[in-house]
Amino acid sequence: MNQDLPRSINDKPGLIPRQVMPENLESPINNVLTWVTPNELFYTRSHLTYPTIDMHSWRLSIGGEVSRPLYFNYEQLKQMPQVDKFVTIECSGNKRAMFEPPVPGEQWKLGAVGNAKWTGVPLTFLLDQIKPKDTAVEIVFTGADSGIRPDMDTPVNFERSLPLDKTLLGECLLALKMNDEPIPYKHGFPLRLIVPGWYGMAHVKWVTQIGFVSNPFKGPFQAIDYVYLTNEGDYSNAVPVTEMKVNSIITWPSKGEIIHPGQHSVRGLAWTGKGTISNVEISVDNGMSWNVAKLTSPEHGQYTWTFWEYAWNITNPGHYFVLARAHDSNGNVQPKAAPWNAKGYGNNSIHTVAITIPQILH
Amino acid sequence: MNQDLPRSINDKPGLIPRQVMPENLESPINNVLTWVTPNELFYTRSHLTYPTIDMHSWRLSIGGEVSRPLYFNYEQLKQMPQVDKFVTIECSGNKRAMFEPPVPGEQWKLGAVGNAKWTGVPLTFLLDQIKPKDTAVEIVFTGADSGIRPDMDTPVNFERSLPLDKTLLGECLLALKMNDEPIPYKHGFPLRLIVPGWYGMAHVKWVTQIGFVSNPFKGPFQAIDYVYLTNEGDYSNAVPVTEMKVNSIITWPSKGEIIHPGQHSVRGLAWTGKGTISNVEISVDNGMSWNVAKLTSPEHGQYTWTFWEYAWNITNPGHYFVLARAHDSNGNVQPKAAPWNAKGYGNNSIHTVAITIPQILH
């Protein structure tokens, strides 16, 4: 290449659209080679119209069942103690497109997951300044985004609650930064709740209001969506979606790839909601035998994914099925097929990639 | 939004990676709203390593079975007569991921297709200047890209031939520009062959050599790849891949979408290799009944795709299958299922999109 080349040589992978309005974009996960997902390649999942943010009037209110409601503006939040946390966030609908029979909703494949460094105020630092009443049972986080759901005629805001669980709340952040820059607009500027270990819906974007409530919250993004339903429309045994399940994906090779015989490195990612990844196994014979992969992350903590790789010396032409299966420190392991559910959440089925090694022609 | 918003608000859809090396990128077709695909969202299909292009020594040679071989540099080509052509190019492997049973190769979904304005020298303007010998039977176009195929141990260049068919050659361009800018590097800078109506493999990128040959060309990208094979590895009845088949896709709604009841516009694209699109029909009842869509392209010529849309007033909640079926002026119509073939080419099956209309909650 030289200086005579035309300008537009940077037509490179970007986010993959899954829905236009609201905009839902998947990460090109096989091409994201860094442990921290760059902001511009981090998946976005929006439920409603993007909000209008006016920073001159913006404030965070904390109230409800409390003795001392408070308001903070952006500058005040920036002056508070800040902590960094690396947290992997997976959309609970990730891999929904692989459920059989198919289910409605964004047809996420593998890339509704990302890992970022979040910087912000520990949630408990704020909560310690107000006095919740004894009647409070949950905290509701309200995003500035609002709009019409397909199943309702009146506009709603995106809202989700968390239980008053000290351990859980102690891990949460109100993040002002994502990978050392102000949270990008589509990722919740200026303030996003981070709930380490939970699926993405809990990490409320554009947070403007935190409210203590005296009854379990029943908003549509809590009671209608984000529940595991065995049968469509049957809420009698609905189980809320909370922590991420142990999961992994193969990032190389990808489905359908035709690969020259030789020494290759099968690569991928693994993560879990609670605890750490203890082991990733790879099968190159469709699950008949398993081999231990090497965990190669720069950090190996809770709440973040880990890289793994497995050296594979391919000698014989043919069709192969490559599988990855992750185990976590709580003894959880990925199933061959995750339980089907009507809204398509929590698909942590073992990822299988079919590839071909051709005959060498002479 | 105001001036306090952070910089990175432009995390928008981009090209979708299908393979890292060689780089193969799919167009985010549901999000490309213009009749002409912007260069940065045009799919790229590369077979080998990207070539190094040195414009100081670059030249196009035309030789082989000719009496008068010639060379041209880039400046000379730019001085020749230039014509514009809008041409839709579809990769013959587009929709390969939808073949059942699955086949190896890039798992293209819907977006290995694009429409661009190509500007360049009519191929016949150049061919008229050399004198092919009577022994010549085909013309071979050689790209500067070379590398190792997964099924061969020695490097090859990408090469394809065309028959000495006056009508066909009369349509071809040696394009210097794509959408009014020099052909982008990944799309074949400085010179790309355009073969209107043919699948993408014929549109050789980085063309540096045009050679008349006295025997049918048997290069691997002609005799091994880009043939319809009924059975894997059986070349006894191999049929070459040439013209694009009549095809269409639904760009809205997309699979799995949950849509509020009301008046909606089903939208999409249709194209064919020979002739023009005469009719697109839409079914919203899984193919039981069909309705005529409106063709809404700015231009309605040969070799380019057409927009279509269909007004759908949705009143009843439920699950729906939306289908689109295009007809061309030669009487061709899309089949329910295109013939399966071992290398997964020419999938012009009717596109079906499953969507859901929810009950409205009050």
Side-chain angles (χ1 to χ4, degrees):
Chain A
M1 285 193 256
N2 66 15
Q3 67 287 359
D4 290 323
L5 283 177
R7 275 178 305 107
S8 58
I9 59 164
N10 61 339
D11 32 8
K12 56 178 195 250
L15 288 161
I16 304 165
R18 290 285 170 232
Q19 193 175 354
V20 177
M21 177 60 206
E23 187 175 66
N24 286 300
L25 304 166
E26 182 166 331
S27 186
I29 197 83
N30 294 52
N31 280 40
V32 176
L33 304 177
T34 52
W35 183 70
V36 168
T37 312
N39 287 352
E40 67 273 15
L41 295 180
F42 206 99
Y43 84 96
T44 70
R45 198 290 184 236
S46 294
H47 299 78
L48 303 163
T49 314
Y50 286 123
T52 301
I53 306 289
D54 178 356
M55 290 310 289
H56 301 298
S57 60
W58 187 89
R59 62 183 186 176
L60 171 69
S61 73
I62 310 184
E65 298 288 310
V66 301
S67 309
R68 188 185 167 208
L70 287 174
Y71 301 94
F72 302 99
N73 66 26
Y74 190 53
E75 282 309 311
Q76 287 171 312
L77 289 169
K78 285 204 282 188
Q79 299 310 318
M80 292 178 188
Q82 310 283 317
V83 301
D84 293 335
K85 280 198 184 194
F86 287 95
V87 175
T88 295
I89 304 181
E90 182 187 17
C91 177
S92 54
N94 196 28
K95 299 188 179 179
R96 177 180 286 130
M98 285 79 151
F99 269 120
E100 274 300 331
V103 288
E106 278 61 44
Q107 298 296 302
W108 302 111
K109 301 225 161 53
L110 305 173
V113 58
N115 186 43
K117 177 186 176 186
W118 307 92
T119 306
V121 183
L123 179 62
T124 47
F125 178 84
L126 285 172
L127 299 188
D128 288 347
Q129 301 183 41
I130 51 107
K131 305 266 177 282
K133 294 182 185 165
D134 289 346
T135 47
V137 297
E138 286 187 358
I139 314 179
V140 176
F141 297 84
T142 305
D145 47 330
S146 67
I148 303 275
R149 289 167 54 97
D151 56 2
M152 294 175 80
D153 273 340
T154 45
V156 288
N157 278 71
F158 186 79
E159 293 183 301
R160 291 271 318 173
S161 76
L162 289 178
L164 293 182
D165 173 325
K166 274 199 178 167
T167 312
L168 173 66
L169 299 178
E171 295 287 346
C172 292
L173 279 190
L174 285 164
L176 297 156
K177 290 190 171 181
M178 179 179 182
N179 294 332
D180 297 317
E181 61 172 277
I183 301 238
Y185 173 59
K186 294 185 181 180
H187 294 288
F189 181 82
L191 198 65
R192 180 174 194 175
L193 176 65
I194 299 297
V195 188
W198 282 42
Y199 281 116
M201 77 283 148
H203 305 242
V204 178
K205 297 193 277 190
W206 307 290
V207 175
T208 54
Q209 197 176 305
I210 300 176
F212 285 77
V213 292
S214 54
N215 287 300
F217 179 64
K218 296 286 180 204
F221 298 101
Q222 187 120 359
I224 298 173
D225 300 339
Y226 298 116
V227 287
Y228 296 108
L229 299 184
T230 313
N231 299 303
E232 187 180 347
D234 175 7
Y235 282 80
S236 57
N237 294 304
V239 174
V241 175
T242 57
E243 277 169 359
M244 298 190 292
K245 301 189 205 171
V246 61
N247 210 343
S248 71
I249 53 176
I250 299 164
T251 55
W252 193 91
S254 47
K255 183 188 168 199
E257 214 152 335
I258 301 170
I259 302 166
H260 199 283
Q263 182 74 36
H264 293 282
S265 182
V266 179
R267 293 184 300 273
L269 294 159
W271 63 91
T272 190
K274 198 171 216 161
T276 56
I277 292 295
S278 51
N279 186 18
V280 176
E281 298 167 292
I282 308 305
S283 172
V284 296
D285 56 8
N286 202 11
M288 292 199 292
S289 66
W290 294 87
N291 313 279
V292 175
K294 198 170 147 193
L295 305 185
T296 59
S297 266
E299 291 198 22
H300 189 62
Q302 258 193 313
Y303 308 133
T304 58
W305 64 19
T306 177
F307 284 136
W308 55 260
E309 60 181 64
Y310 168 68
W312 183 21
N313 188 25
I314 314 174
T315 48
N316 297 324
H319 299 295
Y320 290 85
F321 290 96
V322 182
L323 283 65
R325 178 169 73 180
H327 300 251
D328 72 17
S329 54
N330 289 304
N332 299 303
V333 58
Q334 289 181 257
K336 194 158 165 34
W340 185 93
N341 59 97
K343 287 177 174 270
Y345 297 123
N347 191 348
N348 69 334
S349 305
I350 289 171
H351 184 203
T352 302
V353 172
I355 60 121
T356 298
I357 311 296
Q359 288 281 357
I360 298 295
L361 312 160
H362 295 286
Chain B
M1 282 193 258
N2 67 15
Q3 66 288 357
D4 291 324
L5 283 177
R7 275 177 305 109
S8 57
I9 61 165
N10 62 339
D11 32 6
K12 53 178 200 252
L15 289 160
I16 303 166
R18 291 284 171 234
Q19 193 174 354
V20 178
M21 178 61 205
E23 188 176 64
N24 285 301
L25 304 166
E26 182 166 330
S27 187
I29 197 84
N30 296 52
N31 280 39
V32 177
L33 305 177
T34 52
W35 183 69
V36 168
T37 312
N39 286 353
E40 67 273 16
L41 296 180
F42 206 99
Y43 84 94
T44 70
R45 199 291 185 238
S46 294
H47 300 77
L48 303 162
T49 313
Y50 286 124
T52 300
I53 306 291
D54 178 356
M55 290 311 290
H56 301 298
S57 60
W58 186 89
R59 63 183 186 177
L60 171 68
S61 73
I62 309 183
E65 298 288 310
V66 300
S67 308
R68 188 185 169 210
L70 286 173
Y71 301 92
F72 302 100
N73 65 25
Y74 189 54
E75 283 308 311
Q76 288 172 311
L77 289 168
K78 285 203 281 189
Q79 299 309 317
M80 292 178 187
Q82 308 284 317
V83 301
D84 292 335
K85 281 199 182 193
F86 287 95
V87 175
T88 295
I89 304 181
E90 182 187 17
C91 176
S92 55
N94 196 26
K95 299 188 178 180
R96 177 181 286 132
M98 285 80 149
F99 269 121
E100 275 299 328
V103 289
E106 278 61 43
Q107 298 297 301
W108 302 110
K109 302 227 159 49
L110 304 172
V113 58
N115 186 44
K117 177 186 177 186
W118 306 93
T119 305
V121 184
L123 179 62
T124 47
F125 179 85
L126 284 173
L127 300 187
D128 288 349
Q129 301 182 41
I130 50 105
K131 306 265 176 283
K133 294 183 184 165
D134 290 345
T135 48
V137 296
E138 286 187 359
I139 314 179
V140 176
F141 297 83
T142 304
D145 48 329
S146 67
I148 303 276
R149 289 168 52 98
D151 56 2
M152 294 174 80
D153 273 339
T154 46
V156 288
N157 278 69
F158 186 80
E159 293 183 302
R160 293 268 318 171
S161 76
L162 288 178
L164 293 182
D165 172 326
K166 275 202 177 161
T167 312
L168 173 67
L169 299 178
E171 296 287 346
C172 292
L173 279 190
L174 284 164
L176 297 156
K177 290 189 172 182
M178 177 179 183
N179 295 331
D180 298 316
E181 61 173 275
I183 300 236
Y185 172 60
K186 294 185 180 180
H187 294 289
F189 181 84
L191 199 66
R192 180 174 192 173
L193 176 66
I194 300 297
V195 187
W198 282 42
Y199 280 115
M201 75 286 146
H203 305 242
V204 178
K205 297 192 278 190
W206 307 291
V207 174
T208 54
Q209 196 175 306
I210 299 176
F212 285 78
V213 293
S214 54
N215 288 301
F217 179 64
K218 297 285 181 206
F221 297 101
Q222 186 121 358
I224 297 173
D225 299 339
Y226 298 115
V227 287
Y228 296 108
L229 298 185
T230 313
N231 299 302
E232 187 180 347
D234 174 8
Y235 283 79
S236 57
N237 294 304
V239 173
V241 175
T242 57
E243 278 169 358
M244 297 190 291
K245 301 190 206 171
V246 60
N247 210 344
S248 71
I249 54 175
I250 299 165
T251 56
W252 191 92
S254 47
K255 183 188 167 199
E257 214 151 336
I258 301 170
I259 301 167
H260 199 282
Q263 182 74 38
H264 293 282
S265 183
V266 180
R267 294 184 300 273
L269 294 159
W271 62 91
T272 190
K274 199 172 217 162
T276 56
I277 292 295
S278 51
N279 187 19
V280 176
E281 296 168 294
I282 307 305
S283 172
V284 295
D285 57 7
N286 203 12
M288 292 199 292
S289 66
W290 294 87
N291 312 280
V292 175
K294 199 171 147 195
L295 305 185
T296 60
S297 265
E299 291 197 23
H300 189 63
Q302 258 191 314
Y303 308 133
T304 59
W305 64 21
T306 176
F307 283 136
W308 54 260
E309 59 182 64
Y310 168 68
W312 182 22
N313 187 24
I314 314 175
T315 50
N316 297 324
H319 298 295
Y320 290 85
F321 290 95
V322 182
L323 283 64
R325 179 170 70 181
H327 300 251
D328 72 17
S329 55
N330 289 305
N332 299 304
V333 58
Q334 288 180 257
K336 193 157 167 33
W340 185 94
N341 59 95
K343 287 176 174 271
Y345 297 122
N347 191 348
N348 69 335
S349 305
I350 289 172
H351 184 203
T352 302
V353 172
I355 60 121
T356 297
I357 311 296
Q359 287 282 358
I360 296 296
L361 310 163
H362 295 288

